[in-house]
Amino acid sequence: MQKATALVIGAGIGGIATAARLAKNGYDVTVLEKEPTPGGRCNQILRDGHRFDIGPTLFLMPEIWEETFASIGERMNDHLDLKRIDPTYKIHFDDGLQLELTSNLGAMQTQLEAVEKTAFTGFLNYIAEGSKHYKMSVEKFVGRNFYNVFEYFSPGNLPLLFQLKALKKHHANTSRFFEDERLKAAFTFQNMYLGLSPYDAPATYSLLQYTELAEGVWYPMGGMYACIQALVKIAEKLGVKFIYNAPVKKLQVNGSRVKGATLHDGREFTADIFVGNADLPYIYKELLPENQEAKNLEKKLYTCSTIMFYWGVDKEYPQIAHHNVFLGGEYKASFDQIFYDHTLPETPSFYVHAPARTDKAAAPEGQETLYVLVPVGHLDARSEQDWETLIERARETVLYRLANEKGATDLREHIKFEIAYSPRDWKERFNLEKGAAFGLSHNFWQVGYLRPQNRHKQYKNLYFTGASTHPGTGLPIVLLSARLTTERILKEAGTISVQNLNYAANHA
């Protein structure tokens, strides 16, 4: 019996995982990727012996990764060498306060009570709430498909939305646990993993701090790209074919179905089902015929973007930890400038990743590989955005604080090379709408059933996986997206096969 065929557009982690799951379930799968290598935003840069992850640097929620590997017939530990990073971060405040977030409760108690007498009790209660939010979210919301609005707003689900504090803002909710503004910042800045402001994000996202401290922040030896390499290897073993340097120009449609994909070089591919792992708004806007949904997507809220610096450094700076967060200035004002003014804050916060603290192979011996992420507003044609000036100001801020707070006074002289990304690069290289590095935002009206669905409403054989569809952004959540999309395809496979027969009969 001939296998059903699937064409996946994009070899980001969602596309790779979906392809592998479909192949495991008997599909003949081909993946088209515009870049020369797989990974999407989870790709890597190799230069002069330095290895940089381009995007994600945190390996979180290991049980979701384990389920992904198990679903395609493998054990995660056979493919990844994971090291736990603890303390998870060093946080630097602009007034000189430093905190090390750690799973060591004694160390946390000492640090927190030095800032605020009752803070450790608040911390324990906060983590307990995060645990409840995490388990409930994965089971009831993030880890399941919603096929209609009545399932989402069912009598059984409505009380859970309130229990998850989906309508309460995250920063406001932390006031129940901490009084000191610096502590509120220390336990809400993680919203930036999702490209969100803690002043707009639902309080549900206290689950992030729970997962970090209870389940751990991990690092795969070889970098996050080792995860991509492992999944691609397994997918290929299952029969998945990857075609690189193959950007799709248009999807060809007929009635209620997609019938083929045309590449920029003129090649054409057909399949029974299609899975879009390019950014969902891009697919609606650029690959499909003109449609109202593309216009609707333009009006939705998007996550922030980032200015990135990838520095190859010819000297070691052991005082820079594996993960470092530098929070600057007025916390709320900085988020307003990012999310409302769409610019770089007057006093930017930033994150520095120094993988050679854990993985010596990330840099030549005696040298340093430094990754710097500076949150910034996404592209906005209505506001003045002089990216060259903003990049320069971001660079100077980072160098100044590393010199003054980490003693890296000669860092500028030891940077051998710099690769810099701005929102324009996120848009041009990765086809991310507005250069929003994390895709669509996650407010109440853009999560669950209210987020763009993982199957097209009109074209019944076009599915989506990735950050801008349900359930959302972040690597473990995108792995859940791959699972949910595959489950939906398999559930609807009977209907699809009947439609194929009808389509073939009608167009013979």
Side-chain angles (χ1 to χ4, degrees):
M1 184 177 172
Q2 191 173 3
K3 286 184 176 182
T5 55
L7 189 69
V8 179
I9 300 163
I13 196 163
I16 298 164
T18 304
R21 284 176 179 268
L22 287 172
K24 182 70 175 173
N25 281 279
Y27 278 78
D28 181 350
V29 187
T30 300
V31 181
L32 303 176
E33 168 55 45
K34 71 186 282 287
E35 293 274 307
T37 53
R41 283 166 276 184
C42 198
N43 214 308
Q44 66 175 355
I45 295 169
L46 300 174
R47 181 166 168 183
D48 298 346
H50 296 268
R51 187 190 67 229
F52 305 86
D53 286 314
I54 288 180
T57 59
L58 298 165
F59 187 101
L60 301 172
M61 305 180 189
E63 76 286 354
I64 293 176
W65 290 86
E66 286 173 344
E67 187 279 330
T68 297
F69 279 89
S71 74
I72 51 180
E74 302 283 338
R75 292 176 66 252
M76 179 180 77
N77 291 339
D78 291 339
H79 296 271
L80 299 178
D81 180 10
L82 297 176
K83 305 293 183 189
R84 186 164 183 169
I85 308 300
D86 198 342
T88 55
Y89 315 92
K90 284 192 175 180
I91 306 177
H92 302 259
F93 297 87
D94 65 349
D95 64 358
L97 176 67
Q98 295 186 21
L99 290 175
E100 290 189 345
L101 297 192
T102 172
S103 58
N104 182 325
L105 291 180
M108 284 298 287
Q109 182 172 9
T110 301
Q111 292 181 88
L112 294 175
E113 289 182 349
V115 178
E116 179 184 314
K117 193 173 182 181
T118 60
F120 184 64
T121 301
F123 165 74
L124 293 177
N125 291 331
Y126 182 70
I127 295 300
E129 181 178 275
S131 169
K132 183 179 78 171
H133 287 172
Y134 174 67
K135 289 166 183 171
M136 196 182 298
S137 291
V138 170
E139 183 183 345
K140 303 289 187 182
F141 286 97
V142 179
R144 60 162 292 190
N145 279 309
F146 294 97
Y147 293 96
N148 58 64
V149 71
F150 303 106
E151 281 185 8
Y152 189 59
F153 290 113
S154 68
N157 259 16
L158 274 176
L160 298 177
L161 290 170
F162 290 99
Q163 289 175 41
L164 284 168
K165 300 189 174 179
L167 295 171
K168 193 169 177 90
K169 304 304 183 192
H170 192 183
H171 190 273
N173 189 55
T174 57
S175 299
R176 296 178 53 243
F177 306 98
F178 309 105
E179 291 182 10
D180 191 285
E181 290 298 324
R182 295 168 299 179
L183 295 184
K184 293 177 190 177
F187 292 103
T188 57
F189 78 82
Q190 295 87 346
N191 289 161
M192 292 302 293
Y193 304 164
L194 306 176
L196 303 176
S197 164
Y199 293 92
D200 296 323
T204 313
Y205 291 121
S206 60
L207 62 85
L208 290 169
Q209 292 73 43
Y210 163 76
T211 60
E212 288 181 350
L213 294 174
E215 299 187 356
V217 171
W218 300 80
Y219 178 81
M221 298 300 280
M224 292 300 292
Y225 198 66
C227 304
I228 297 294
Q229 291 170 318
L231 289 171
V232 167
K233 183 179 177 182
I234 296 166
E236 288 178 333
K237 190 169 84 170
L238 291 168
V240 177
K241 296 179 287 293
F242 289 85
I243 301 175
Y244 300 108
N245 299 303
V248 174
K249 184 176 184 180
K250 282 293 178 186
L251 291 174
Q252 307 303 326
V253 302
N254 190 312
S256 63
R257 300 182 58 74
V258 175
K259 61 179 184 177
T262 303
L263 304 191
H264 278 271
D265 63 12
R267 282 180 289 170
E268 295 192 352
F269 292 81
T270 60
D272 297 316
I273 63 163
F274 295 78
V275 181
N277 182 225
D279 195 34
L280 180 144
Y282 174 82
I283 295 174
Y284 275 92
K285 187 176 179 180
E286 301 294 340
L287 302 188
L288 289 170
E290 188 174 345
N291 61 91
Q292 183 57 44
E293 185 59 24
K295 298 181 176 68
N296 295 341
L297 284 165
E298 285 183 14
K299 300 172 188 173
K300 289 190 179 292
L301 291 177
Y302 284 78
T303 54
C304 70
S305 191
T306 61
I307 290 172
M308 308 293 299
F309 299 111
Y310 307 99
W311 288 336
V313 181
D314 65 9
K315 177 183 175 180
E316 279 187 292
Y317 293 88
Q319 67 271 39
I320 300 176
H322 189 110
H323 297 299
N324 311 265
V325 174
F326 293 79
L327 298 176
E330 290 291 326
Y331 195 58
K332 185 176 189 309
S334 68
F335 283 108
D336 287 346
Q337 288 166 341
I338 292 170
F339 288 94
Y340 298 113
D341 300 337
H342 300 141
T343 189
L344 180 70
E346 287 181 27
T347 51
S349 298
F350 60 93
Y351 159 78
V352 178
H353 180 229
R357 289 292 79 72
T358 304
D359 186 356
K360 293 298 182 187
E365 186 176 353
Q367 300 190 33
E368 201 76 77
T369 291
L370 294 180
Y371 158 121
V372 181
L373 182 156
V374 188
V376 68
H378 62 58
L379 297 172
D380 183 355
R382 295 169 300 176
S383 61
E384 300 225 357
Q385 294 174 309
D386 180 348
W387 290 112
E388 282 67 30
T389 300
L390 295 178
I391 289 169
E392 175 65 23
R393 186 156 65 82
R395 182 189 299 110
E396 291 305 312
T397 298
V398 173
L399 289 170
Y400 176 83
R401 290 196 68 177
L402 288 176
N404 282 274
E405 296 170 47
K406 302 304 289 185
T409 53
D410 59 351
L411 176 58
R412 187 191 302 269
E413 289 74 42
H414 288 280
I415 296 175
K416 296 188 296 181
F417 66 84
E418 172 188 277
I419 298 168
Y421 276 26
S422 75
R424 292 177 303 192
D425 297 287
W426 292 117
K427 180 176 173 62
E428 290 165 13
R429 179 172 177 183
F430 298 105
N431 292 331
L432 296 170
E433 180 69 15
K434 302 181 191 292
F438 309 86
L440 277 174
S441 190
H442 296 74
N443 66 3
F444 178 78
W445 302 105
Q446 292 182 190
V447 294
Y449 183 75
L450 305 177
R451 197 169 183 79
Q453 294 293 290
N454 54 13
R455 195 199 70 187
H456 196 281
K457 192 172 182 180
Q458 178 181 349
Y459 307 118
K460 307 298 187 187
N461 65 335
L462 174 59
Y463 295 83
F464 302 99
T465 185
S468 290
T469 187
H470 174 67
T473 194
L475 284 185
I477 307 305
V478 170
L479 289 176
L480 283 178
S481 166
R483 192 197 91 203
L484 296 178
T485 300
T486 305
E487 286 176 1
R488 184 162 192 169
I489 291 168
L490 297 177
K491 176 178 177 174
E492 297 173 352
T495 308
I496 289 170
S497 61
V498 170
Q499 287 176 340
N500 283 345
L501 292 172
N502 291 340
Y503 181 85
N506 293 332
H507 294 81

